[in-house]
Amino acid sequence: MLNRIVLIGRLTRDPEVRTTTTGKNFATFSIAVNKKIKPAEGERDADFFNIKVWGQTATYVESYLTKGRLITVDGRMESRKYTDREGVNREIWEVVADNVSALDRPREDGAGGGGGGYTGERRSEGGARPSPAETFTSESPADSAYDPFSDA
């Protein structure tokens, strides 16, 4: 069996970093991915995906990625169920990313987007601050340590 998803899109909002009750950092954000077929009239339509990253990848995403940046996400689809405050059962589908890479350079005005290209996959060594062009592998918690229903 295979559960793999690769997406290229633009961030629709700045990433939000939080910490679980066990002390693991994670970030959430969403991206818009243009649909292949443009409607007869009007602008292109897009699909929107919620993304979650863990550990060092969450730090990278928080430090370097902002709304409007073009990124690639490589991960897997996961679902989780919960009951909302009104007692309604809900199900959420999200991409848990193993790798996230910036495909463009931030604009001078800090608003995201811009030109530039992918510079390849590298990994930070010795705790040095990663460069914006680096790709990171997310460190998902072990199944026993992950509590999707915690308040984190």
Side-chain angles (χ1 to χ4, degrees), residues 55-65 69 100-102 130-136:
Q56 188 178 17
T57 308
T59 303
Y60 166 76
V61 164
E62 177 187 35
S63 298
Y64 295 109
L65 302 182
R69 293 289 306 270
V100 174
S101 298
S131 75
E134 292 188 66
T135 298
F136 285 92

Side-chain angles (χ1 to χ4, degrees), residues 81-93:
K81 296 177 183 180
Y82 69 98
T83 304
D84 68 13
R85 293 181 180 157
E86 288 80 38
V88 177
N89 291 330
R90 303 275 184 186
E91 183 174 21
I92 293 177
W93 285 90

Side-chain angles (χ1 to χ4, degrees), residues 57-147:
T57 308
T59 303
Y60 166 76
V61 164
E62 177 187 35
S63 298
Y64 295 109
L65 302 182
T66 56
K67 180 180 177 178
R69 293 289 306 270
L70 182 66
I71 66 168
T72 182
V73 172
D74 176 20
R76 64 191 183 279
M77 289 295 296
E78 283 191 1
S79 68
R80 56 187 167 96
K81 296 177 183 180
Y82 69 98
T83 304
D84 68 13
R85 293 181 180 157
E86 288 80 38
V88 177
N89 291 330
R90 303 275 184 186
E91 183 174 21
I92 293 177
W93 285 90
E94 61 193 355
V95 176
V96 177
D98 296 321
N99 297 300
V100 174
S101 298
L103 297 178
D104 64 359
R105 297 177 190 204
R107 293 192 327 212
E108 293 292 324
D109 64 4
Y118 180 70
T119 60
E121 184 171 326
R122 294 182 294 158
R123 210 176 261 270
S124 229
E125 293 183 19
R129 188 172 176 113
S131 75
E134 292 188 66
T135 298
F136 285 92
T137 302
S138 187
E139 302 160 4
S140 297
D143 289 339
S144 61
Y146 178 60
D147 180 7

Side-chain angles (χ1 to χ4, degrees), residues 13-28:
R13 60 183 168 89
D14 288 343
E16 179 181 330
V17 175
R18 296 186 294 186
T19 304
T20 66
T21 54
T22 59
K24 285 285 250 180
N25 285 341
F26 70 96
T28 57

Side-chain angles (χ1 to χ4, degrees), residues 1-5 76:
M1 290 182 247
L2 179 67
N3 178 358
R4 203 84 199 139
I5 186 166
R76 64 191 183 279

